[in-house]
Amino acid sequence: MSFSKDFLWGTSVSAAQIEGGWNEGGKAPVQVDFANVGSASSSGRQLIYKKKDGSKGQLTGAYAMFPHLPEYGEYASFDDIYYSNRKASDFYHHYKEDIALMAEMGFSTFNTSISWARIFPHGIEGGANQEGIEFYRKVFKELKKYHIEPIITLYKYDEPIYFEQTYGGWTNRQMIDEFVEFARVCLTEYKDLVNKWITFNEINVLMLFRNLPHDQKVAQKRYQELHHQLVASARTVKLAHQINPQNKVGCMIAGMCTYPLTPDPKDVMDNYKYFQDIFCYTADVMIRGQYPSFANRMWKEDGIHLETSENDWKDLKEGTVEFLGFSYYMSQCRTTHTYANTTKGNIFTGYENPYLQKSEWGWQIDPLGFKNFMHLIYDRYQIPLLVIENGLGAKDIVESDGTIHDDYRINYLREHISAMKEAVEEGVNVVGYTTWGGIDLISASTGQMEKRYGLIYVDTDDQGEGTYNRYRKDSFYWYKKVIESYGEDLD
Ligand code: BG6
């Protein structure tokens, strides 16, 4: 058998995209609670705020992260806007049913995130919110009932607006203490229920600004924010081991597989630099405990002076992670030439590859790229890999008898699991695989529900209309079979 019996199979979701209950149980709002719904053809979604004169202002985000409001802006709700994350898939009220369905598929793991705004709605100053703490305790106990091991992410695209209003966000060093205290409460409260943790989701997306037109000020801000997150992460890793030596903590890096579009050595170099800058800059710090040598080149290119404290270097060195979690959806090409067609992606923009098919949302499908990418990162880091996100966003049709024939999703998953199997057979140490969004949830880039990733269908649409009943898709039965056969039966 290619996959061992203790290989972890399951799915991953995130608090903001699945829970709903946006103002229940003492939770305070997060940025994305004020974002609208986009479409496959639009450039994404917007955060809508109130201007001084009461009219609407719009901010376009890089993915699920929006810029902070302009000084005169205010977070407000408008009646004519549907805010899809506020109810999301209503996991907040359906978690028992959802976990029972996961157990029926035979999951051995489940990755979700904890909403910071449920645990500390108003930072350390406002105190921990017991109701929020109890909600996750109930979820984790439910998982335990079915022997599903949680992998818990502490921070995933849901910045509480309190931190923007109080500190101006992660450029402020104070955020390190806020995060570490939040982590301490979670690590302590759930000590007996959770021992696999991820500190930040796709932490490297902060570096994506380098791909867009930007000035030195923006660059300085992003590098500084990322430095603070890296230090907060390292301190959390150390704390996790003190609180429970059984704890294993990983990083989660957005994986992108890119190819040089032409054999022009300039394209080859550009492609390699992209891997260094967007993936390794953060992964090196989290896995090897220090910034890579090419960080100097990047700081020079962007005119950066990092503000650091002496303890930062020690903490980064001591707080390295034990597994490398990553997401993988697609691949793209890179080129220094200007004639190529750009192609879409969630967070990465790149160039079209004539050899690949695309999803309905324009994402290029590349299972071999998945295998390539696993070899690349395992060769470099030599620590266990955990595939935290992989899946296909597509529209589904519910037949009159309630069945959903999503063979396109099955094909995507089959090809990617096969590629992962080959990587394992060729020596890559992969310890688990969680498909993205196994229960339909709100898309991060467009805010849509109709861009479905689930194996479990949630009966609601882009405007929140529907019963929120759950239905098993064909992929549900297929994945169950894959898990039962330890990844051998992919037919
Ligand atoms: C990942 C994110 O990069 O992509 C998820 O971590 C996101 O939050 C997923 O949902 C798919 O992207 P999208 O935009 O289709 O939801």
Side-chain angles (χ1 to χ4, degrees):
M1 270 182 4
S2 311
F3 298 109
S4 70
K5 288 203 167 172
D6 52 7
F7 188 88
L8 296 168
W9 294 98
T11 199
S12 66
V13 299
S14 79
Q17 291 171 270
I18 195 170
E19 281 176 11
W22 78 293
N23 57 4
E24 291 181 59
K27 176 182 166 291
V30 300
Q31 257 203 332
V32 83
D33 289 331
F34 296 90
N36 66 5
V37 182
S39 66
S41 53
S42 73
S43 57
R45 62 195 308 204
Q46 280 86 34
L47 188 148
I48 314 291
Y49 65 93
K50 190 158 110 188
K51 291 190 187 165
K52 234 186 196 157
D53 62 4
S55 66
K56 289 177 195 149
Q58 298 197 342
L59 293 174
T60 299
Y63 203 37
M65 293 181 310
F66 296 94
H68 288 158
L69 299 190
E71 249 171 59
Y72 56 83
E74 218 182 282
Y75 282 102
S77 302
F78 294 92
D79 291 342
D80 58 338
I81 295 201
Y82 179 63
Y83 300 98
S84 55
N85 291 78
R86 292 187 179 185
K87 190 161 179 192
S89 318
D90 204 24
F91 178 81
Y92 192 69
H93 298 108
H94 285 78
Y95 70 90
K96 286 198 176 169
E97 183 186 348
D98 290 342
I99 293 171
L101 285 165
M102 294 187 228
E104 191 182 323
M105 271 187 276
F107 282 14
S108 47
T109 194
F110 174 54
N111 168 244
T112 187
S113 60
I114 293 182
S115 166
W116 195 346
R118 273 194 203 290
I119 307 292
F120 277 101
H122 304 287
I124 298 175
E125 206 188 338
N129 170 34
Q130 203 53 40
E131 219 180 323
I133 295 176
E134 292 317 318
F135 169 67
Y136 292 106
R137 197 188 318 281
K138 284 189 277 177
V139 171
F140 302 151
K141 281 196 170 159
E142 199 65 18
L143 290 167
K144 192 167 183 179
K145 190 165 121 188
Y146 295 104
H147 309 289
I148 300 175
E149 187 184 2
I151 301 174
I152 298 305
T153 303
L154 287 164
Y155 183 69
K156 174 150 184 171
Y157 297 137
D158 57 349
E159 180 175 323
I161 61 171
Y162 169 84
F163 293 126
E164 173 179 347
Q165 291 162 339
T166 314
Y167 300 115
W170 277 98
T171 31
N172 191 324
R173 217 183 153 79
Q174 196 61 34
M175 288 298 292
I176 301 178
D177 291 346
E178 287 283 354
F179 182 83
V180 176
E181 177 56 11
F182 159 58
R184 191 193 61 76
V185 168
C186 296
L187 291 162
T188 312
E189 291 287 342
Y190 309 128
K191 185 170 178 252
D192 300 323
L193 293 165
V194 180
N195 53 42
K196 283 206 175 62
W197 299 89
I198 288 172
T199 51
F200 287 80
N201 181 68
E202 296 187 332
I203 186 168
N204 56 329
V205 299
L206 278 173
M207 277 294 113
L208 287 173
F209 78 91
R210 296 190 99 243
N211 239 11
L212 306 164
H214 62 272
D215 58 23
Q216 189 278 338
K217 263 198 187 152
V218 170
Q220 178 65 36
K221 213 169 158 229
R222 292 286 167 267
Y223 278 92
Q224 197 60 53
E225 286 172 347
L226 181 56
H227 179 74
H228 290 157
Q229 294 194 355
L230 291 168
V231 173
S233 171
R235 289 194 187 153
T236 301
V237 175
K238 288 170 66 177
L239 195 61
H241 293 145
Q242 283 158 19
I243 291 175
N244 181 359
Q246 304 293 318
N247 275 333
K248 295 257 180 290
V249 191
C251 57
M252 191 327 194
I253 318 272
M256 71 291 143
C257 167
T258 56
Y259 308 110
L261 185 69
T262 76
D264 181 345
K266 281 200 198 118
D267 277 9
V268 177
M269 190 65 230
D270 169 74
N271 185 56
Y272 191 67
K273 263 175 76 178
Y274 184 75
F275 174 59
Q276 289 185 319
D277 299 1
I278 310 294
F279 195 90
C280 306
Y281 179 78
T282 40
D284 276 24
V285 177
M286 298 181 91
I287 299 169
R288 295 170 162 182
Q290 59 188 30
Y291 283 104
S293 54
F294 55 80
N296 282 316
R297 165 186 57 78
M298 293 169 66
W299 294 332
K300 209 164 149 198
E301 279 168 5
D302 287 322
I304 301 303
H305 170 71
L306 267 197
E307 280 167 27
T308 62
S309 89
E310 229 173 82
N311 282 340
D312 290 0
W313 307 112
K314 185 169 174 286
D315 289 333
L316 292 179
K317 185 108 253 155
E318 294 171 355
T320 53
V321 295
E322 291 140 299
F323 63 88
L324 197 180
F326 69 100
S327 53
Y328 176 90
Y329 291 89
M330 81 201 107
S331 71
Q332 294 177 338
C333 291
R334 294 196 49 89
T335 184
T336 56
H337 300 269
T338 48
Y339 51 77
N341 292 330
T342 53
T343 182
K344 282 199 194 172
N346 49 350
I347 26 188
F348 306 110
T349 45
Y351 292 95
E352 250 175 26
N353 187 331
Y355 297 96
L356 299 178
Q357 303 286 321
K358 289 179 185 169
S359 78
E360 279 174 271
W361 271 260
W363 296 17
Q364 298 185 137
I365 301 174
D366 184 9
L368 189 56
F370 186 34
K371 174 172 142 180
N372 275 336
F373 191 65
M374 280 188 269
H375 272 293
L376 181 68
I377 58 180
Y378 187 63
D379 282 353
R380 182 174 180 99
Y381 296 109
Q382 298 277 306
I383 61 169
L385 303 186
L386 191 47
V387 182
I388 286 291
E389 289 186 28
N390 173 242
L392 178 74
K395 283 190 190 135
D396 290 329
I397 296 169
V398 185
E399 306 293 339
S400 52
D401 61 356
T403 53
I404 297 129
H405 305 304
D406 57 340
D407 37 315
Y408 34 90
R409 186 169 295 107
I410 295 176
N411 289 341
Y412 179 99
L413 295 174
R414 178 189 292 121
E415 286 173 13
H416 283 78
I417 294 175
S418 288
M420 173 171 73
K421 198 171 180 184
E422 283 173 23
V424 168
E425 285 160 2
E426 290 163 16
V428 178
N429 182 13
V430 188
V431 294
Y433 174 84
T434 56
T435 67
W436 171 245
I439 303 161
D440 289 343
L441 41 65
I442 301 300
S443 155
S445 55
T446 68
Q448 292 177 280
M449 174 56 79
E450 301 279 14
K451 185 181 187 188
R452 297 174 187 273
Y453 285 88
L455 314 161
I456 298 166
Y457 186 89
V458 177
D459 177 29
T460 180
D461 62 17
D462 287 350
Q463 295 305 310
E465 304 286 341
T467 60
Y468 286 80
N469 287 341
R470 278 49 178 160
Y471 300 106
R472 295 165 184 80
K473 302 184 191 177
D474 285 358
S475 55
F476 178 101
Y477 300 104
W478 175 83
Y479 197 41
K480 182 174 189 298
K481 205 166 52 117
V482 172
I483 297 173
E484 263 163 17
S485 67
Y486 300 103
E488 287 298 301
D489 183 358
L490 298 179
D491 291 340

